[in-house]
Amino acid sequence: MKALIVTWTSRIRDSYWFVPSVLAVGALVLSFVTTELDNHFGSEWLEEIGWLYANEPAGARAVLSTVAGSMITVAGVTFSMTILSISYTTSQVGARLLNNFMRDRGNQITLGVFISTFLYCLMVLRTVRNAESAPGGDIAEQELASAFVPHIAVIVGIMMAVLSVAVLIYFIHHVPESIHVSNILAGIGCDLNRQIEQQFPARVGEPHEDVSQRRVDSNLPPSFYETAKTIRAKGSGYVEFVDTDGVMEIAVEHDLVIRMRFRAGDFITPGNILMLASPASRVSDEIVDQLRATYISGAQRTPKQNLRFVFNQLVEVAERALSPGVNDPFTAISCMDWLQSALQHLAERKMPDAYRYDSDHRLRIVAEPETFSDFVSLVSDQLRPYVAADRNASIHMMEMFAKIALSATSDSHRRLLVRHAGALRRECKRALSDQRGMKLLNDRYRSMVWLLRDPVYRKQVLDTGNWVGGRA
């Protein structure tokens, strides 16, 4: 249940219709409140405010009709502008960034303000009525008593129209800002760093109390698989969310050890083994349904719990920028800057153990681990063929590896980065014909190797910031 609630809450929050719908409902409520205030206070209060003037029914109708008509027209124009900008930008940077624009709060609020102003004026307009005379008696008094103009509601409508003009000015500024490639990349990069802070270190159970017994691999003895019951998927799609806390609760309650086979972002098909639970004798059909319900899948990958998806967004933009049809290495360099920031952030954090224990230090969950090596490979291996063919991008990528290695606190991380830098250097030797560019690339590679081999040189670079050409 928690997995379903979290997934739907995330979908609703990121949808394009939710904020406009909330504002529209708020406008309907406001229209009833203001007309009720007019019924209660009447129009006598206007006489005490010199700069306000009472409207006749025809004047009130004209004002409300003008505001309502103009607002629905502007709402249509802004929606068209939004769709056009989204279409153009996603064709340049990739369709997988569409959701980033759909959940843009500025676009949602703009559409919501125009629609809510239109609905408010429409609801108030229906309450305006002319005087109706009846035969006999004092006709003038009867006309005065039967006429109704919601002065407070009209004033609020005019104020909403003024606010809508201010929002329109903001929107005209916001659209070109939101589709500027630097702002797009900055938004993805900030999301990526925020996700890293939220996801690492993971808090599903506790690692082994003995540090020497902690493991990042997910291997289990053959005896586990001989006694385990398989929980298989029933549908197809990308895993959007896994309720790992729910899995831990089930494992503790029924004294199980659970081996999880899929993580957020993986694609599953009917019959795939989601997890194995041992011993099988304690796993009833009801528990199988509960464990299966901890996985929520959908038609597309989402950034929820899926750090690889956000990394791939930046990688995709860089690959498109370096393609022969676009040939924009500076956009690719900007992508690498944000990837560098994320990898440096990851290098400073502890990766979660594959083996997770309960509060009594009993093994409960063995998950598919995510390691620093996985993320470095995701970036390096996918970008290398594109980067190697461009002098500027290849030099910048080598610098990216060196800067990450410089900030890394683990020798294993630095060795990993040197290996990827060496692979880039070999690829560039085959693809680049620029000798001067290759010399710069080799200089940076040698300096990076010395960062690994010589702690004194590394301290010197940390103190001075000058790492290129420091050693031969």
Side-chain angles (χ1 to χ4, degrees):
M1 180 59 70
K2 177 185 175 182
L4 191 61
I5 292 173
V6 170
T7 303
W8 276 103
T9 301
S10 178
R11 288 177 181 173
I12 290 173
R13 186 175 60 250
D14 294 342
S15 65
Y16 195 63
W17 58 265
F18 179 68
V19 171
S21 298
V22 171
L23 292 177
V25 172
L28 294 176
V29 173
L30 181 62
S31 68
F32 290 117
V33 171
T34 53
T35 51
E36 188 61 32
L37 289 174
D38 276 302
N39 279 322
H40 179 73
F41 291 107
S43 60
E44 290 78 10
W45 60 276
L46 286 172
E47 299 175 359
E48 301 176 2
I49 305 176
W51 53 275
L52 286 178
Y53 301 93
N55 286 306
E56 296 296 328
R61 285 198 183 94
V63 170
L64 293 172
S65 299
T66 301
V67 174
S70 60
M71 285 302 104
I72 198 63
T73 301
V74 174
V77 172
T78 55
F79 180 75
S80 300
M81 289 176 62
T82 301
I83 297 301
L84 183 62
S85 63
I86 289 175
S87 175
Y88 170 78
T89 307
T90 53
S91 67
Q92 298 296 313
V93 298
R96 270 150 294 281
L97 294 180
L98 176 62
N99 287 342
N100 296 47
F101 294 97
M102 294 294 289
R103 64 172 178 258
D104 186 288
R105 281 288 180 263
N107 294 338
Q108 295 174 4
I109 291 174
T110 298
L111 182 62
V113 167
F114 293 146
I115 290 178
S116 60
T117 302
F118 164 75
L119 286 176
Y120 175 85
C121 292
L122 197 65
M123 295 299 293
V124 174
L125 184 60
R126 70 184 178 85
T127 66
V128 180
R129 62 177 180 266
N130 291 325
E132 296 179 357
S133 60
D138 190 343
I139 296 177
E141 291 183 1
Q142 291 182 23
E143 289 179 346
L144 183 61
S146 60
F148 178 71
V149 178
H151 299 287
I152 296 176
V154 171
I155 292 171
V156 171
I158 294 173
M159 293 172 62
M160 291 178 69
V162 173
L163 174 63
S164 298
V165 172
V167 171
L168 178 61
I169 295 171
Y170 158 78
F171 179 75
I172 294 172
H173 168 78
H174 177 70
V175 167
E177 284 285 310
S178 65
I179 65 176
H180 193 286
V181 67
S182 297
N183 293 330
I184 294 172
L185 299 180
I188 301 172
C190 292
D191 284 344
L192 183 53
N193 282 307
R194 188 161 49 248
Q195 291 258 12
I196 291 171
E197 290 180 358
Q198 293 173 356
Q199 293 188 27
F200 296 100
R203 293 300 181 194
V204 184
E206 299 295 334
H208 198 283
E209 58 181 347
D210 185 354
V211 176
S212 64
Q213 297 297 317
R214 296 181 181 178
R215 299 172 62 181
V216 295
D217 63 278
S218 56
N219 297 322
L220 282 169
S223 58
F224 170 84
Y225 298 97
E226 294 170 359
T227 62
K229 184 179 183 64
T230 58
I231 291 90
R232 299 180 182 272
K234 285 189 173 181
S236 299
Y238 293 99
V239 177
E240 294 184 3
F241 182 82
V242 183
D243 182 11
T244 48
D245 291 330
V247 175
M248 175 62 73
E249 291 175 4
I250 294 171
V252 172
E253 181 180 354
H254 301 283
D255 193 19
L256 301 172
V257 177
I258 296 175
R259 169 72 166 92
M260 303 178 68
R261 302 294 300 178
F262 288 89
R263 55 191 175 188
D266 293 340
F267 189 82
I268 57 175
T269 56
N272 282 157
I273 299 175
L274 293 177
M275 59 185 83
L276 299 101
S278 178
S281 59
R282 298 176 189 160
V283 184
S284 64
D285 291 340
E286 181 183 357
I287 295 174
V288 169
D289 292 337
Q290 291 175 359
L291 288 171
R292 189 181 288 122
T294 59
Y295 276 79
I296 297 295
S297 61
Q300 57 183 335
R301 291 185 176 94
T302 63
K304 189 72 175 178
Q305 288 191 335
N306 185 7
L307 202 61
R308 292 169 294 162
F309 175 77
V310 192
F311 268 102
N312 276 326
Q313 286 184 320
L314 286 172
V315 170
E316 179 182 358
V317 176
E319 290 176 350
R320 282 174 173 267
L322 292 172
S323 64
V326 178
N327 193 24
D328 181 12
F330 295 103
T331 295
I333 287 172
S334 296
C335 292
M336 284 187 276
D337 288 337
W338 286 106
L339 289 168
Q340 172 193 321
S341 172
L343 290 173
Q344 283 178 320
H345 202 171
L346 266 179
E348 297 168 356
R349 305 183 78 85
K350 178 176 173 53
M351 296 292 104
D353 295 325
Y355 283 54
R356 311 305 296 176
Y357 297 78
D358 62 16
S359 56
D360 295 325
H361 302 290
R362 300 183 65 182
L363 178 64
R364 292 302 180 191
I365 294 177
V366 181
E368 287 292 326
E370 289 186 307
T371 64
F372 180 73
S373 174
D374 293 336
F375 292 107
V376 174
S377 296
L378 184 150
V379 173
S380 176
D381 294 340
Q382 292 188 82
L383 277 181
R384 191 185 307 119
Y386 299 86
V387 169
D390 187 275
R391 172 193 179 277
N392 296 327
S394 59
I395 292 174
H396 195 83
M397 191 171 189
M398 188 66 75
E399 292 179 354
M400 178 186 79
F401 287 140
K403 291 175 181 176
I404 299 170
L406 184 63
S407 62
T409 57
S410 168
D411 285 339
S412 62
H413 289 171
R414 285 192 285 271
R415 285 193 295 270
L416 170 70
L417 291 162
V418 169
R419 287 198 298 271
H420 281 282
L424 174 63
R425 183 191 184 200
R426 290 191 296 273
E427 191 79 19
C428 289
K429 283 182 177 179
R430 290 191 292 267
L432 284 181
S433 57
D434 183 359
Q435 296 300 317
R436 188 170 183 274
M438 278 304 305
K439 182 180 182 304
L440 291 173
L441 198 74
N442 289 329
D443 288 344
R444 282 152 176 75
Y445 177 74
R446 283 193 294 268
S447 295
M448 187 175 176
V449 171
W450 278 109
L451 287 176
L452 175 65
R453 293 181 177 177
D454 191 345
V456 176
Y457 174 59
R458 183 167 178 268
K459 184 178 184 305
Q460 172 190 336
V461 175
L462 286 171
D463 292 340
T464 64
N466 181 25
W467 58 272
V468 177
R471 298 293 293 261

Short mmCIF file of all heavy atoms in Angstrom, two decimals, residues 425-459:
data_model
loop_
_atom_site.label_atom_id
_atom_site.label_comp_id
_atom_site.label_asym_id
_atom_site.label_seq_id
_atom_site.Cartn_x
_atom_site.Cartn_y
_atom_site.Cartn_z
N ARG A 425 42.01 7.60 -23.05
CA ARG A 425 43.25 7.96 -23.76
C ARG A 425 43.49 7.03 -24.95
O ARG A 425 43.84 7.48 -26.05
CB ARG A 425 44.42 7.87 -22.77
CG ARG A 425 45.77 8.27 -23.32
CD ARG A 425 46.83 7.86 -22.33
NE ARG A 425 48.15 8.28 -22.71
CZ ARG A 425 49.27 7.74 -22.25
NH1 ARG A 425 49.19 6.73 -21.39
NH2 ARG A 425 50.45 8.17 -22.62
N ARG A 426 43.27 5.73 -24.76
CA ARG A 426 43.44 4.78 -25.86
C ARG A 426 42.44 5.03 -26.99
O ARG A 426 42.78 4.95 -28.17
CB ARG A 426 43.30 3.35 -25.33
CG ARG A 426 44.45 2.89 -24.44
CD ARG A 426 44.38 1.41 -24.17
NE ARG A 426 43.19 1.05 -23.40
CZ ARG A 426 43.11 1.08 -22.07
NH1 ARG A 426 44.18 1.44 -21.34
NH2 ARG A 426 42.01 0.72 -21.45
N GLU A 427 41.21 5.34 -26.61
CA GLU A 427 40.19 5.62 -27.63
C GLU A 427 40.54 6.89 -28.41
O GLU A 427 40.34 6.96 -29.62
CB GLU A 427 38.83 5.78 -26.95
CG GLU A 427 37.64 5.82 -27.89
CD GLU A 427 37.23 4.46 -28.38
OE1 GLU A 427 37.61 3.46 -27.74
OE2 GLU A 427 36.54 4.40 -29.41
N CYS A 428 41.06 7.89 -27.71
CA CYS A 428 41.41 9.15 -28.38
C CYS A 428 42.59 8.96 -29.34
O CYS A 428 42.66 9.62 -30.38
CB CYS A 428 41.75 10.23 -27.34
SG CYS A 428 40.31 10.82 -26.41
N LYS A 429 43.53 8.07 -28.99
CA LYS A 429 44.65 7.82 -29.89
C LYS A 429 44.17 7.29 -31.24
O LYS A 429 44.77 7.58 -32.29
CB LYS A 429 45.61 6.81 -29.25
CG LYS A 429 46.50 7.41 -28.17
CD LYS A 429 47.46 6.36 -27.63
CE LYS A 429 48.41 6.97 -26.59
NZ LYS A 429 49.34 5.95 -26.04
N ARG A 430 43.09 6.50 -31.21
CA ARG A 430 42.56 5.96 -32.47
C ARG A 430 41.72 6.97 -33.22
O ARG A 430 41.65 6.94 -34.45
CB ARG A 430 41.72 4.72 -32.18
CG ARG A 430 42.53 3.52 -31.73
CD ARG A 430 41.68 2.26 -31.73
NE ARG A 430 40.65 2.32 -30.71
CZ ARG A 430 40.80 1.82 -29.47
NH1 ARG A 430 41.95 1.24 -29.12
NH2 ARG A 430 39.83 1.87 -28.60
N ALA A 431 41.06 7.90 -32.49
CA ALA A 431 40.08 8.77 -33.13
C ALA A 431 40.61 10.17 -33.43
O ALA A 431 40.15 10.81 -34.39
CB ALA A 431 38.83 8.89 -32.25
N LEU A 432 41.58 10.67 -32.65
CA LEU A 432 42.04 12.05 -32.81
C LEU A 432 43.29 12.11 -33.68
O LEU A 432 44.21 11.31 -33.53
CB LEU A 432 42.34 12.69 -31.45
CG LEU A 432 41.15 13.13 -30.59
CD1 LEU A 432 41.66 13.75 -29.30
CD2 LEU A 432 40.27 14.12 -31.34
N SER A 433 43.32 13.11 -34.55
CA SER A 433 44.51 13.33 -35.39
C SER A 433 45.26 14.59 -34.96
O SER A 433 46.33 14.88 -35.49
CB SER A 433 44.10 13.46 -36.86
OG SER A 433 43.16 14.51 -37.03
N ASP A 434 44.71 15.32 -34.01
CA ASP A 434 45.33 16.57 -33.53
C ASP A 434 46.45 16.22 -32.54
O ASP A 434 46.19 15.80 -31.41
CB ASP A 434 44.25 17.43 -32.86
CG ASP A 434 44.80 18.78 -32.40
OD1 ASP A 434 46.00 19.02 -32.59
OD2 ASP A 434 44.02 19.58 -31.85
N GLN A 435 47.70 16.41 -32.94
CA GLN A 435 48.84 16.05 -32.10
C GLN A 435 48.93 16.92 -30.86
O GLN A 435 49.27 16.44 -29.77
CB GLN A 435 50.14 16.14 -32.91
CG GLN A 435 50.20 15.15 -34.06
CD GLN A 435 50.10 13.72 -33.57
OE1 GLN A 435 50.72 13.34 -32.58
NE2 GLN A 435 49.30 12.92 -34.26
N ARG A 436 48.63 18.20 -31.02
CA ARG A 436 48.71 19.10 -29.86
C ARG A 436 47.63 18.72 -28.84
O ARG A 436 47.86 18.75 -27.63
CB ARG A 436 48.55 20.54 -30.30
CG ARG A 436 48.79 21.54 -29.18
CD ARG A 436 48.86 22.97 -29.72
NE ARG A 436 49.18 23.91 -28.66
CZ ARG A 436 48.27 24.47 -27.87
NH1 ARG A 436 47.00 24.16 -28.02
NH2 ARG A 436 48.63 25.32 -26.93
N GLY A 437 46.46 18.37 -29.34
CA GLY A 437 45.41 17.94 -28.44
C GLY A 437 45.79 16.67 -27.70
O GLY A 437 45.52 16.52 -26.50
N MET A 438 46.44 15.73 -28.40
CA MET A 438 46.88 14.50 -27.76
C MET A 438 47.94 14.76 -26.70
O MET A 438 47.98 14.10 -25.66
CB MET A 438 47.42 13.51 -28.81
CG MET A 438 46.34 12.72 -29.53
SD MET A 438 45.24 11.80 -28.42
CE MET A 438 46.40 10.83 -27.46
N LYS A 439 48.81 15.75 -26.96
CA LYS A 439 49.83 16.08 -25.97
C LYS A 439 49.18 16.61 -24.69
O LYS A 439 49.57 16.22 -23.57
CB LYS A 439 50.80 17.13 -26.53
CG LYS A 439 51.93 17.49 -25.56
CD LYS A 439 52.85 18.52 -26.16
CE LYS A 439 54.00 18.84 -25.20
NZ LYS A 439 53.53 19.28 -23.88
N LEU A 440 48.17 17.49 -24.83
CA LEU A 440 47.47 17.99 -23.66
C LEU A 440 46.77 16.85 -22.91
O LEU A 440 46.78 16.79 -21.68
CB LEU A 440 46.43 19.04 -24.09
CG LEU A 440 46.99 20.37 -24.60
CD1 LEU A 440 45.86 21.24 -25.14
CD2 LEU A 440 47.73 21.12 -23.49
N LEU A 441 46.21 15.94 -23.68
CA LEU A 441 45.51 14.80 -23.08
C LEU A 441 46.50 13.92 -22.30
O LEU A 441 46.22 13.48 -21.18
CB LEU A 441 44.81 14.00 -24.17
CG LEU A 441 43.70 13.06 -23.73
CD1 LEU A 441 42.45 13.85 -23.34
CD2 LEU A 441 43.34 12.09 -24.86
N ASN A 442 47.66 13.66 -22.89
CA ASN A 442 48.67 12.84 -22.23
C ASN A 442 49.20 13.50 -20.96
O ASN A 442 49.45 12.84 -19.95
CB ASN A 442 49.82 12.55 -23.19
CG ASN A 442 49.43 11.58 -24.28
OD1 ASN A 442 48.58 10.72 -24.08
ND2 ASN A 442 50.03 11.74 -25.46
N ASP A 443 49.40 14.84 -21.02
CA ASP A 443 49.86 15.57 -19.83
C ASP A 443 48.88 15.40 -18.68
O ASP A 443 49.27 15.16 -17.54
CB ASP A 443 50.05 17.05 -20.15
CG ASP A 443 51.26 17.31 -21.04
OD1 ASP A 443 52.11 16.39 -21.14
OD2 ASP A 443 51.34 18.39 -21.65
N ARG A 444 47.61 15.54 -18.97
CA ARG A 444 46.60 15.41 -17.93
C ARG A 444 46.52 13.98 -17.41
O ARG A 444 46.32 13.76 -16.21
CB ARG A 444 45.24 15.88 -18.48
CG ARG A 444 45.13 17.40 -18.53
CD ARG A 444 44.19 17.86 -19.62
NE ARG A 444 44.02 19.31 -19.59
CZ ARG A 444 44.92 20.18 -20.01
NH1 ARG A 444 46.08 19.76 -20.48
NH2 ARG A 444 44.68 21.48 -19.95
N TYR A 445 46.70 13.03 -18.29
CA TYR A 445 46.66 11.63 -17.86
C TYR A 445 47.84 11.31 -16.93
O TYR A 445 47.68 10.66 -15.89
CB TYR A 445 46.66 10.71 -19.07
CG TYR A 445 46.71 9.25 -18.70
CD1 TYR A 445 45.58 8.61 -18.18
CD2 TYR A 445 47.88 8.51 -18.84
CE1 TYR A 445 45.61 7.27 -17.82
CE2 TYR A 445 47.92 7.17 -18.48
CZ TYR A 445 46.79 6.56 -17.97
OH TYR A 445 46.82 5.23 -17.61
N ARG A 446 49.04 11.77 -17.31
CA ARG A 446 50.22 11.51 -16.46
C ARG A 446 50.07 12.17 -15.10
O ARG A 446 50.44 11.58 -14.07
CB ARG A 446 51.48 12.01 -17.17
CG ARG A 446 51.97 11.09 -18.29
CD ARG A 446 53.38 11.46 -18.72
NE ARG A 446 53.42 12.78 -19.33
CZ ARG A 446 53.29 13.01 -20.63
NH1 ARG A 446 53.09 11.98 -21.46
NH2 ARG A 446 53.35 14.23 -21.12
N SER A 447 49.54 13.39 -15.09
CA SER A 447 49.33 14.06 -13.80
C SER A 447 48.33 13.29 -12.95
O SER A 447 48.47 13.19 -11.73
CB SER A 447 48.82 15.48 -14.04
OG SER A 447 49.79 16.26 -14.69
N MET A 448 47.34 12.72 -13.61
CA MET A 448 46.34 11.95 -12.88
C MET A 448 46.95 10.68 -12.28
O MET A 448 46.63 10.29 -11.15
CB MET A 448 45.19 11.60 -13.82
CG MET A 448 44.02 10.95 -13.15
SD MET A 448 42.67 10.70 -14.31
CE MET A 448 41.53 9.82 -13.26
N VAL A 449 47.84 10.03 -13.02
CA VAL A 449 48.51 8.83 -12.51
C VAL A 449 49.34 9.19 -11.28
O VAL A 449 49.37 8.45 -10.29
CB VAL A 449 49.39 8.20 -13.60
CG1 VAL A 449 50.26 7.09 -13.02
CG2 VAL A 449 48.52 7.66 -14.73
N TRP A 450 50.01 10.35 -11.32
CA TRP A 450 50.82 10.75 -10.17
C TRP A 450 49.95 11.11 -8.97
O TRP A 450 50.40 10.99 -7.82
CB TRP A 450 51.72 11.93 -10.54
CG TRP A 450 52.97 11.48 -11.23
CD1 TRP A 450 53.31 11.65 -12.54
CD2 TRP A 450 54.04 10.75 -10.63
NE1 TRP A 450 54.52 11.07 -12.80
CE2 TRP A 450 55.00 10.51 -11.65
CE3 TRP A 450 54.29 10.27 -9.34
CZ2 TRP A 450 56.18 9.82 -11.41
CZ3 TRP A 450 55.47 9.58 -9.11
CH2 TRP A 450 56.39 9.36 -10.14
N LEU A 451 48.72 11.55 -9.23
CA LEU A 451 47.80 11.78 -8.11
C LEU A 451 47.57 10.48 -7.34
O LEU A 451 47.42 10.50 -6.11
CB LEU A 451 46.45 12.31 -8.62
CG LEU A 451 46.40 13.75 -9.12
CD1 LEU A 451 45.01 14.07 -9.66
CD2 LEU A 451 46.76 14.72 -8.00
N LEU A 452 47.55 9.38 -8.05
CA LEU A 452 47.35 8.08 -7.42
C LEU A 452 48.62 7.58 -6.75
O LEU A 452 48.59 7.03 -5.65
CB LEU A 452 46.86 7.08 -8.47
CG LEU A 452 46.70 5.62 -8.02
CD1 LEU A 452 45.61 5.52 -6.95
CD2 LEU A 452 46.38 4.72 -9.21
N ARG A 453 49.79 7.78 -7.40
CA ARG A 453 51.03 7.17 -6.93
C ARG A 453 51.72 7.96 -5.84
O ARG A 453 52.38 7.39 -4.96
CB ARG A 453 51.99 7.01 -8.11
CG ARG A 453 51.55 6.00 -9.15
CD ARG A 453 52.58 5.91 -10.25
NE ARG A 453 52.23 4.90 -11.25
CZ ARG A 453 52.94 4.67 -12.35
NH1 ARG A 453 54.06 5.36 -12.56
NH2 ARG A 453 52.56 3.75 -13.21
N ASP A 454 51.60 9.28 -5.87
CA ASP A 454 52.43 10.13 -5.01
C ASP A 454 51.56 10.96 -4.07
O ASP A 454 50.96 11.97 -4.47
CB ASP A 454 53.28 11.06 -5.89
CG ASP A 454 54.34 11.78 -5.08
OD1 ASP A 454 54.24 11.77 -3.85
OD2 ASP A 454 55.26 12.34 -5.70
N PRO A 455 51.42 10.57 -2.79
CA PRO A 455 50.60 11.34 -1.85
C PRO A 455 51.11 12.77 -1.66
O PRO A 455 50.32 13.68 -1.42
CB PRO A 455 50.71 10.54 -0.55
CG PRO A 455 51.13 9.17 -0.98
CD PRO A 455 51.97 9.35 -2.18
N VAL A 456 52.44 12.97 -1.75
CA VAL A 456 52.99 14.31 -1.59
C VAL A 456 52.53 15.22 -2.73
O VAL A 456 52.14 16.37 -2.51
CB VAL A 456 54.54 14.25 -1.54
CG1 VAL A 456 55.13 15.66 -1.48
CG2 VAL A 456 55.00 13.42 -0.35
N TYR A 457 52.58 14.68 -3.94
CA TYR A 457 52.11 15.46 -5.10
C TYR A 457 50.61 15.75 -4.98
O TYR A 457 50.16 16.85 -5.29
CB TYR A 457 52.40 14.68 -6.38
CG TYR A 457 51.82 15.33 -7.62
CD1 TYR A 457 52.17 16.62 -8.00
CD2 TYR A 457 50.91 14.64 -8.42
CE1 TYR A 457 51.64 17.21 -9.13
CE2 TYR A 457 50.37 15.21 -9.55
CZ TYR A 457 50.74 16.51 -9.90
OH TYR A 457 50.21 17.09 -11.03
N ARG A 458 49.86 14.78 -4.49
CA ARG A 458 48.43 15.00 -4.33
C ARG A 458 48.17 16.12 -3.33
O ARG A 458 47.30 16.97 -3.54
CB ARG A 458 47.76 13.70 -3.87
CG ARG A 458 46.25 13.81 -3.74
CD ARG A 458 45.60 12.44 -3.58
NE ARG A 458 44.17 12.60 -3.42
CZ ARG A 458 43.57 12.70 -2.24
NH1 ARG A 458 44.29 12.63 -1.13
NH2 ARG A 458 42.26 12.85 -2.15
N LYS A 459 48.92 16.13 -2.21
CA LYS A 459 48.74 17.20 -1.24
C LYS A 459 49.14 18.55 -1.83
O LYS A 459 48.49 19.58 -1.58
CB LYS A 459 49.58 16.91 0.01
CG LYS A 459 49.38 17.92 1.13
CD LYS A 459 50.19 17.55 2.34
CE LYS A 459 49.90 18.52 3.49
NZ LYS A 459 50.10 19.92 3.13
#
